[in-house]
Amino acid sequence: MNQRHDDPGLMMHWAFDEGAGASALEGISKVQDDIQYVFNQAEFTEPCDPQWRQGVLGSGLLFDGYSTYITHSFEEGDAADNSEYLYALSIGVWVAPRSYEWGHERKLAAIVNRYDLDRKQGYLLGMFRHGSWSFQVGLEGGDWKELWSPDGHELPKNEWSYVNAVFDGNQGEMKLYLNGKEIASSTLPRGSRLAEAADTDLLIGKNNHSSLLAEVFSLHMFSGILDELMIYNRALSAEEVAASYRYVLDSAHEGVQPQLKYDEIKLDRTPLLSDRHRPQYHVSPPAHWMNEPHAPIYFDGQYHLFYQHNPLGPFFHHIHWGHWVSKDLVHWRDLPVALAPEKDQLAPDGIWSGSATYDADGLPVLFFTAGNDSASPNQSVALARSTYTTDGDTDLVHWVKHPEPLIVQKRGMGAFGDFRDPFVWKDDDGWFALVGSGMEGEGGAALAFSSQDMMNWAYKGPFFKADIQKFPYLGPIWELPVLLPLGNDKQGVNKHLLLVSPVGEGADVEVFYWIGQIDKQSLSFIPDQEEPQLIDVGDFHFTGPSGMVDPKTGRKIIFTIAQGDRTSELEYKSGWAHNGGLPLSVYLRDDGRLGIEPIQELQSLRDTKRISLRDKTLAETNILLKDVHGDMLEIQLEIEPGSAQQFGIKVRRTPEGEEETLLYYDSKQSLFAVDRTKTTLHPGEKCRGIQGGKLELLGENLKLHIYLDRSMVEAYANGLKSLTTRVYPSREDALGLEIWGDGDVVVKFLDVWDMQSIW
């Protein structure tokens, strides 16, 4: 259902009624414009069309925020490429934004544009931060004019709005209309003419002057659905704008504003389900970027887990809080973004990491790092409350921020300017918080705070700080401090686990931990050993810790990010970056060491048992393994070393071993490691070399619990250490397993299961 093409002065019209395919018809010239979309030709997943959705009239086109756009070129003599329209121009379009951009270099996320900013030619209609929007034109004579939406007339996310922009050079005015009503105007010299950007293509969804991030990602791309884009070479009157708006309402929506279902516009994970490298039983966003998962909390029968998220694309920029919910910590549901930057003085520039706890009534609250680049420092601790008390929604979809930060860093309170990632907990004595920072000239630190009412906080000094001279790899700043109770040791001493993630010059970006005691009076931590330990001996794939005490079981559970180890170019092609690690239960062993194990609920993902054997030689085992293949497997293995000094298992192996990844133990060096020198033949992938770390088995056999999930490899050794790594084989037959040793070994047991997707 289209508006008529015989409207006087209508130069261009994209109805977006195709509903399928990779082109869109410009209805006046009858030119089929190609739609650029990352998965038109896909390297790692099944090629698919751009995402079409229900529009206001027929279908509409969903722009993904980083790869979707249309280029419309002009030939001499085109109706839209002559000077008639230079005295007047009108644009009308229905828009449903999904996300707002940060606004780097004050550029607009373009809806439609054909301009040359250097020459101050052409026109641009687009969105800016927090839903504000603008119409901008270049005038002959070198003037660049901008007309902005006033406060209170922003374009709401996940809703339809009808936008009109009018340039009338003869009358000397520019106007903006929202949903058929004028909201802004400005005057120009009468007789003004547009300066034509004659050598420039018209772009829909992409800015003619996009800034590049990481040399790959074009910023200032529209994210959301567009429908019924019309461009006129005359100035529409207020009556015509209102009539055009009413036409859509009356002809297709029974006279009311078009409604948009969230399922129509939400990020869709479907195109990524066939990606041969994307994990399928590790938690992940529907698409695009994540870094650390955080703020786990249990409420009314469900676990909630949040994550740092850029909904605009698979790159680090303009961070929000994504949100998942689960009944078992294994099968997760995607929920809408929980917290986003807004037009306020609290966190307009980013909603960075934090944690969750309960208020005095037992209701969940979120503590987050509020990013405000206009403040110094630009990081403070803020709070958001669920609307559960008013809407009863146990999914906790909606959150309201407290309007002012609760904890603001002052000079002398850690390393000024580095103050983030609050970890908050409640006990019988009140609420307590750790905030990541450092001590000037001394190294990283977790700063301690206390409160009796959760709103007013007192600084108690450093909870624990590093000796950067002894341990320079602990770096000048700590992020993401986590404190979990471990209970009493064999001597009856109450112990806690402190986790931190160092950053800054010289830092080894891993998750380090100490076991120790809390001095509650001074609110400080006393480690059993000064030297920190690693849970995971992989390299930069097990980071970003968060943790919780599970109210159902009393278990202490930590969550991490599994980073991707890929180039920006490959993340662009893939449409996703990173995923969560498997939830990990940690506990205090009888020998005083930290025990680790994947949560038992993961057994619910087991499908077919592929093999189960006991007490076999290496040769016997490998004969039986020849028919066992997969990239979504759980493996339990015990190896008695015999005469071998190095032994382990090869995974993701091609039949002749051209590609393979070796997980092994070196008993002479007490080294648990992965050899990725033959992992991939793909020239663009980064996964290379040998990673590993110390593991003292003290005479025990090697006992491995391994999870393969496409590119993810998580291996747990003897309940003491994990090794998390990434593999991106180039060959689709890199699915085999093989036991390996440099001498005779005995496979005491080997069990392998196929694993199911959680999606």
Side-chain angles (χ1 to χ4, degrees), residues 566-638:
R566 304 185 93 176
T567 64
S568 295
E569 182 179 4
L570 288 177
E571 287 173 340
Y572 180 100
K573 289 182 178 181
S574 300
W576 62 276
H578 318 316
N579 53 267
L582 295 175
L584 192 60
S585 175
V586 296
Y587 57 95
L588 188 64
R589 291 166 44 121
D590 288 343
D591 61 7
R593 293 191 285 179
L594 185 69
I596 62 170
E597 59 184 22
I599 60 171
Q600 291 185 344
E601 289 90 333
L602 292 165
Q603 294 178 14
S604 67
L605 297 176
R606 291 174 177 172
D607 198 349
T608 305
K609 194 167 191 177
R610 301 296 300 278
I611 196 169
S612 180
L613 56 84
R614 301 293 183 270
D615 295 312
K616 300 292 184 183
T617 66
L618 183 148
E620 290 171 333
T621 303
N622 285 333
I623 290 172
L624 295 169
L625 276 176
K626 283 193 175 295
D627 294 328
V628 180
H629 305 96
D631 59 3
M632 290 174 59
L633 301 175
E634 179 188 356
I635 303 165
Q636 291 190 337
L637 167 67
E638 179 178 341

Side-chain angles (χ1 to χ4, degrees), residues 167-183:
F167 164 77
D168 188 341
N170 290 320
Q171 295 299 316
E173 58 186 10
M174 293 171 64
K175 292 186 176 184
L176 297 181
Y177 297 83
L178 180 61
N179 294 329
K181 296 181 180 179
E182 182 181 327
I183 61 167

Side-chain angles (χ1 to χ4, degrees), residues 336-399:
V337 164
L339 298 176
E342 294 182 85
K343 192 174 185 177
D344 56 31
Q345 291 303 306
L346 180 69
D349 296 295
I351 308 290
W352 303 327
S353 287
S355 62
T357 190
Y358 303 97
D359 66 12
D361 297 320
L363 298 175
V365 289
L366 303 180
F367 284 81
F368 61 94
T369 307
N372 182 357
D373 290 343
S374 67
S376 180
N378 71 338
Q379 304 159 35
S380 61
V381 175
L383 174 144
R385 294 180 182 272
S386 165
T387 59
Y388 172 78
T389 54
T390 56
D391 60 24
D393 178 18
T394 57
D395 278 352
L396 306 180
V397 170
H398 301 292
W399 298 81

Side-chain angles (χ1 to χ4, degrees), residues 89-105:
L89 179 73
S90 299
I91 301 173
V93 60
W94 284 87
V95 301
R98 181 168 64 193
S99 302
Y100 304 146
E101 199 187 51
W102 186 79
H104 180 67
E105 296 182 331

Side-chain angles (χ1 to χ4, degrees), residues 244-307:
S244 184
Y245 173 65
R246 293 300 315 178
Y247 172 83
V248 171
L249 270 59
D250 294 340
S251 63
H253 300 280
E254 298 181 346
V256 299
Q257 184 79 7
Q259 299 298 300
L260 178 62
K261 295 179 180 179
Y262 176 70
D263 283 351
E264 284 289 320
I265 197 171
K266 69 180 183 181
L267 279 175
D268 181 10
R269 67 172 60 248
T270 305
L272 300 179
L273 291 177
S274 59
D275 185 314
R276 61 192 182 90
H277 294 311
R278 193 171 204 222
Q280 296 299 307
Y281 62 84
H282 285 72
V283 67
S284 62
H288 298 174
W289 171 275
M290 72 165 281
N291 43 304
E292 57 264 11
H294 51 76
I297 196 164
Y298 183 78
F299 180 70
D300 201 15
Q302 298 192 114
Y303 297 93
H304 295 262
L305 185 61
F306 303 85
Y307 58 97

Side-chain angles (χ1 to χ4, degrees), residues 14 46 93 169 187 405 440 459 461 529 627 644 647 675 695 714:
W14 288 267
E46 294 296 324
V93 60
T187 59
E440 299 287 357
Y459 178 49
Q529 294 178 309
D627 294 328
F647 45 92
D675 185 340
L695 171 62
E714 284 185 64

